[in-house]
């Protein structure tokens, strides 16, 4: 494996379009599976699930499964159902997250829990998890089942770990990174790794694509956490300052707190405890993450992980699939949403 850390490109704004075009035909098949398997004789299930699934998400995780299969020259169709399983797992976690966080928006729309209530959102999330496992069992690979089921367990651990760290001003960077490695990067890694398994591409390909997905997932979450302090609700598709008001100890906060003066640290302690959560307090938080360099350094860490993701693709030959995945990593740290 190459130890070289690749630079991100300077050709201009990267786009997901090469990845979208690469997997377009396969995504049509995946979307057909998603549409079919989210159906139920209980009308509320497809209604609520469809609200989120059709809500304009980027479908990054299933697209990465498809792109990884293309990278491994896989000629079959097993990855269609598995990509749908990956998307169901992701959607289920979003439904559960919005209940836990009390979110008001998701993908630019009113969150499902505000329309149908928390019990329905939790139960439909459970339904989608179950559908995902049905699809895995139908595939018949115990190795794929082990990878995706383990990722599901790790995601849940990460979410619980984040909950226990919420409003704890003493949360440090290492703890934060362990949380996002679990709650976000684990599914990115699994989504990429299952493709070389079905393609029978070998251990090196599995390790490389696991590393690509894991590093990309960390970069993606770092940017998400930075966006909460640098973008607006219309751009993000969720409420600006949601992490701030929820008392989530994300990296911009951890760095700004560590670098702050005594009054600034007192502000952060009060804000994360929930006693400073007004619009004016959010504006002050945005000012502090900017003036301390915390926002810029969070983005620089995201770029580092994106470079690591790109470098993980070194064992694979150059071609359309590899170029699209490289640009997807570049997009992850250039996006505003």
């Amino acid at each position: 494996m190459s130890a070289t850390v690749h630079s991100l490109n300077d050709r201009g704004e990267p786009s997901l379009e090469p990845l979208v075009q690469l997997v377009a035909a396969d995504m049509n098949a995946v979307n057909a599976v998603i549409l079919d398997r989210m159906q139920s004789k209980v009308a509320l299930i497809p209604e609520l699930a469809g609200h989120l699934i059709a809500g304009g998400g980027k479908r990054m995780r299933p697209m990465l499964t498809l792109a990884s299969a293309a990278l491994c020259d896989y000629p079959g169709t097993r990855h269609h159902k598995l990509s749908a399983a990956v998307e169901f797992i992701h959607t289920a976690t979003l439904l559960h997250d919005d209940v836990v966080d009390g979110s008001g928006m998701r993908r630019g729309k009113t969150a499902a829990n505000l329309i149908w209530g928390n019990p329905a959102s939790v139960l439909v999330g459970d339904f989608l998890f179950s559908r995902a496992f049905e699809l895995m069992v139908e595939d018949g690979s115990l190795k794929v089942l082990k990878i995706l089921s383990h990722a599901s367990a790790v995601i849940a651990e990460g979410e619980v770990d984040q909950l226990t760290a919420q409003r704890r001003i003493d949360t440090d960077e290492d703890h934060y990174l362990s949380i996002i490695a679990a709650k976000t990067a684990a599914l990115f890694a699994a989504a990429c790794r299952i493709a070389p398994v079905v393609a029978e591409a070998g251990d090196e390909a599995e390790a490389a694509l696991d590393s690509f997905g894991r590093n990309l997932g960390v970069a993606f979450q770092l940017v998400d956490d930075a966006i909460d302090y640098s973008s607006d609700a219309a751009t993000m598709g969720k409420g600006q300052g949601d992490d701030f008001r929820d008392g989530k100890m994300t990296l911009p906060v951890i760095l700004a707190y560590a670098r702050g003066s005594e009054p600034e640290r007192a502000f952060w302690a009060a804000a994360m405890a929930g006693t400073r959560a007004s619009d004016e307090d959010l504006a002050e938080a945005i000012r502090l993450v900017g003036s301390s360099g915390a926002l810029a350094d969070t983005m620089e860490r995201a770029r580092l992980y994106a470079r690591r993701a790109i470098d993980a693709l070194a064992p694979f030959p150059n071609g359309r699939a590899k170029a699209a995945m490289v640009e997807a990593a570049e997009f992850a740290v250039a996006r505003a949403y």
Side-chain angles (χ1 to χ4, degrees):
M1 237 295 185
S2 165
T4 305
V5 176
H6 287 67
S7 297
L8 301 186
N9 86 55
D10 56 3
R11 300 185 303 272
E13 287 301 310
S15 167
L16 270 186
E17 195 56 30
L19 184 67
V20 170
Q21 292 179 4
L22 174 74
V23 302
D26 285 321
M27 271 308 299
N28 286 336
V30 173
N31 286 331
V33 175
I34 289 171
L35 182 62
D36 177 57
R37 295 307 181 93
M38 67 184 234
Q39 299 307 313
S40 167
K41 63 183 179 181
V42 180
L44 176 61
I45 291 175
E47 183 182 2
L48 192 156
H51 174 79
L52 184 55
I53 289 172
K58 291 180 284 295
R59 295 274 212 274
M60 275 284 284
R61 294 152 189 83
M63 285 200 297
L64 288 172
T65 300
L66 299 175
S68 297
L71 191 65
C72 295
D73 296 320
Y74 175 61
T77 60
R78 288 170 58 193
H79 57 325
H80 295 159
K81 283 187 176 182
L82 293 175
S83 297
V86 166
E87 183 65 8
F88 280 154
I89 291 169
H90 177 55
T91 304
T93 64
L94 295 184
L95 286 170
H96 290 167
D97 285 354
D98 286 347
V99 170
V100 171
D101 296 340
S103 300
M105 288 178 65
R106 171 66 70 179
R107 293 175 175 170
K109 301 168 68 174
T110 302
N113 53 297
L114 292 189
I115 300 174
W116 289 279
N118 287 343
S121 289
V122 170
L123 292 171
V124 173
D126 292 344
F127 172 85
L128 294 177
F129 265 126
S130 300
R131 281 290 195 242
F133 279 87
E134 284 181 348
L135 289 166
M136 292 179 227
V137 170
E138 287 173 22
D139 177 71
S141 167
L142 282 177
K143 189 168 188 178
V144 166
L145 181 59
K146 180 178 180 180
I147 290 168
L148 287 176
S149 61
H150 177 69
S152 299
V154 170
I155 292 165
E157 287 178 331
E159 294 290 356
V160 174
D161 196 13
Q162 178 174 261
L163 189 63
T164 63
Q166 197 165 339
R167 303 201 180 283
R168 292 187 59 90
I169 198 66
D170 58 344
T171 303
D172 61 21
E173 184 174 345
D174 286 344
H175 188 186
Y176 162 82
L177 288 172
S178 72
I179 289 170
I180 67 173
K183 80 183 191 76
T184 302
L187 188 55
F188 273 83
C192 294
R193 186 174 182 177
I194 58 176
V197 173
V198 300
E200 299 180 355
D203 292 344
E204 184 182 18
E206 281 185 46
L209 283 165
D210 182 285
S211 179
F212 172 81
R214 199 170 302 279
N215 283 291
L216 178 58
V218 173
F220 198 88
Q221 187 62 56
L222 283 165
V223 174
D224 257 12
D225 293 345
I227 283 173
D228 200 61
Y229 292 92
S230 63
S231 194
D232 56 49
T235 302
M236 290 186 291
K238 64 176 185 174
Q240 185 187 29
D242 279 356
D243 290 350
F244 172 75
R245 293 189 175 92
D246 290 341
K248 290 183 179 178
M249 289 298 297
T250 58
L251 190 58
V253 175
I254 291 167
L255 296 178
Y257 175 74
R259 298 168 180 177
S261 64
E262 190 172 333
E264 290 168 349
R265 288 164 70 92
F267 165 81
W268 283 116
M272 292 299 102
T275 61
R276 298 285 300 270
S278 68
D279 289 346
E280 292 78 13
D281 292 324
L282 174 59
E284 175 64 4
I286 291 170
R287 185 188 72 80
L288 290 176
V289 297
S291 63
S292 66
L295 199 61
D297 285 349
T298 297
M299 289 303 301
E300 183 52 41
R301 281 167 174 74
R303 284 188 284 272
L304 172 63
Y305 280 97
R307 291 184 189 108
R308 290 175 177 171
I310 292 168
D311 191 55
L313 298 178
F316 298 98
N318 292 334
R320 186 183 176 199
K322 184 173 179 178
M325 293 176 74
V326 167
E327 189 157 352
E330 294 167 345
F331 169 82
V333 294
R335 67 196 172 94
Y337 62 96

